[in-house]
Amino acid sequence: MQETGAQSIYFAPLEGITGYIFRNAYNEIYGNVDKYFAPFISPTGRSSMTPRDRRDLDPDNNTGMNLIPQILTCDASLFIMAAGELQDMGYKEIDLNLGCPSGTVCAKGKGAGFLPETAKLRSFLDGIYAFSENAGIKISVKTRLGYYDPEEFFDLIEIFNAYPISELIVHPRIRGDFYKGEIRREYFAYAIEHAVCPLIYNGDIYTPQDLEDLSSYFKTPLSPVMLGRGLITDPSLASKIKGISKDTDMARFKEFHDTIYHEYQKVMSPDINVLYKMKELWSYWSSMFSDNSRDIKKLLKAKKYADYESCVYSLLGHL
Ligand SMILES: Cc1cc2nc3c(=O)[nH]c(=O)nc-3n(C[C@H](O)[C@H](O)[C@H](O)COP(=O)(O)O)c2cc1C
């Protein structure tokens, strides 16, 4: 755990949400994030990434931010192929996804589905860390505690300790928890005691108080810390945690909303596709507007820009 005075904040990857349009709007309007993690790419025998992934990771679409691409695979040669391409694009640090709980991903032995395959995991890590040392690139790991049982974590930490992992990001849940239920804090406490690489906490931080409570439970400052849904639900959370702002500034939120909405309109059509993306965000933002549940309900039903905009207008004022 890094013990510096200044709080460092990482933005967790959320597939379908924190793509480059969201990241750029966030970075310009809110900032105060030290590293952004891109949603995973999943290389195949044919290619490292889809055209959409390539656009998302294109350095020209991600200027002025520290972006870490993430790879989801259980095949070392596919990881190395994709990492080599990312290195050619200018990336010096790459994250390995060992946490994705999705059924289709886990059924292929990827994400959290890789965690119980410890012999295979060791030889995979042998391969990718041999590559990283040669290529001069850093590899971090984002993991859960285990697949079936949190006690798997004891073996996993021992495995991870054998590699030069640049940062070990732990979401203290098992696969079957998905993103719900109590955080299994005692296992992160075990990692604080036993992990040899820099350790990053991730999970269920929605307020500065949540972070303070966890830091006092762990008896250590959690810096860097990785935030996901909390930063989407309240985009000013990073500046609140850093002591830069106290309140949620609605004018700023409106600018954030409008930027994302207009940028999606430039690259997507028809209305319904843009509105699908916006509604996904409103499923997080709606908690800021609990007194306006009628408008939120109407907004979530909108099929045309005009209907959507009239709901947003009533919540936030003119677009
Ligand atoms: C919709 C959604 C998409 C996600 N996509 C990714 C992903 O692409 N890669 C990844 O490592 N984690 C992904 N996650 C997990 C988050 O990065 C994070 O670990 C999780 O939300 C817990 O942190 P939080 O409580 O701060 O949100 C996703 C989570 C959600 C809810």
Side-chain angles (χ1 to χ4, degrees):
M1 189 84 33
Q2 199 178 299
E3 298 229 358
T4 59
Q7 175 71 51
S8 168
I9 294 178
Y10 294 176
F11 209 134
L14 277 90
E15 207 245 320
I17 300 176
T18 62
Y20 76 99
I21 287 185
F22 180 97
R23 291 193 300 267
N24 280 299
Y26 189 91
N27 197 43
E28 244 173 73
I29 295 162
Y30 288 100
N32 292 308
V33 162
D34 301 275
K35 265 188 197 177
Y36 292 83
F37 285 70
F40 65 79
I41 61 168
S42 193
T44 66
R46 264 173 290 127
S47 65
S48 297
M49 58 193 108
T50 64
R52 184 191 292 183
D53 294 334
R54 198 172 296 281
R55 194 172 347 124
D56 190 54
L57 294 173
D58 185 339
D60 290 342
N61 288 334
N62 293 283
T63 53
M65 71 178 83
N66 188 6
L67 181 65
I68 314 298
Q70 185 188 63
I71 300 178
L72 173 79
T73 185
C74 57
D75 179 322
S77 60
L78 291 182
F79 185 100
I80 292 166
M81 173 183 80
E85 251 184 77
L86 291 167
Q87 193 177 24
D88 291 343
M89 288 164 79
Y91 291 103
K92 296 182 169 56
E93 198 174 330
I94 290 165
D95 185 58
L96 166 69
N97 181 324
L98 289 180
C100 183
S102 133
T104 44
V105 165
C106 290
K108 293 179 194 148
K110 302 194 270 186
F114 204 171
L115 297 176
E117 307 290 332
T118 49
K120 192 178 170 205
L121 181 61
R122 277 180 207 270
S123 76
F124 174 89
L125 294 172
D126 285 342
I128 68 167
Y129 280 99
F131 159 79
S132 81
E133 304 255 281
N134 260 332
I137 194 165
K138 288 186 193 167
I139 304 176
S140 60
V141 170
K142 184 164 178 286
T143 188
R144 286 180 183 251
L145 303 176
Y147 188 85
Y148 302 103
D149 191 309
E151 309 260 305
E152 290 166 38
F153 195 52
F154 305 137
D155 282 347
L156 287 169
I157 284 286
E158 206 185 302
I159 294 173
F160 295 145
N161 279 348
Y163 299 94
I165 293 178
S166 64
E167 295 184 305
L168 180 65
I169 303 153
V170 179
H171 178 57
R173 288 194 165 102
I174 57 169
R175 186 261 169 172
D177 295 335
F178 289 86
Y179 298 109
K180 290 199 199 110
E182 283 285 297
I183 283 282
R184 300 170 189 267
R185 297 193 292 188
E186 61 281 22
Y187 292 92
F188 190 80
Y190 178 88
I192 292 175
E193 291 298 317
H194 295 93
V196 297
C197 61
L199 185 63
I200 317 289
Y201 175 89
N202 165 243
D204 289 28
I205 295 173
Y206 289 90
T207 63
Q209 190 63 46
D210 291 342
L211 177 58
E212 272 180 43
D213 292 348
L214 281 166
S215 303
S216 40
Y217 175 86
F218 294 126
K219 299 189 182 68
T220 182
L222 298 181
S223 182
V225 69
M226 177 181 271
L227 313 176
R229 292 166 297 177
L231 273 183
I232 297 172
T233 307
D234 177 5
S236 52
L237 179 60
S239 59
K240 285 179 182 164
I241 286 176
K242 289 190 175 184
I244 294 161
S245 69
K246 271 187 130 170
D247 302 312
T248 301
D249 172 346
M250 275 301 146
R252 187 174 288 217
F253 176 72
K254 186 178 168 328
E255 189 190 348
F256 182 50
H257 167 276
D258 294 359
T259 305
I260 295 175
Y261 181 52
H262 293 133
E263 289 302 316
Y264 275 140
Q265 287 179 331
K266 288 185 194 161
V267 297
M268 276 180 167
S269 63
D271 304 21
I272 198 84
N273 290 345
V274 172
L275 295 183
Y276 176 83
K277 299 295 274 185
M278 297 311 294
K279 288 176 195 177
E280 200 166 6
L281 287 167
W282 279 102
S283 70
Y284 293 90
W285 293 338
S286 56
S287 64
M288 283 193 282
F289 300 91
S290 47
D291 298 340
N292 307 73
S293 56
R294 269 191 54 216
D295 286 318
I296 298 282
K297 262 193 199 147
K298 252 176 85 183
L299 180 154
L300 294 175
K301 284 190 188 142
K303 293 197 168 60
K304 291 278 167 205
Y305 290 146
D307 300 331
Y308 174 79
E309 287 170 16
S310 80
C311 299
V312 173
Y313 172 68
S314 118
L315 287 165
L316 298 175
H318 262 300
L319 286 174

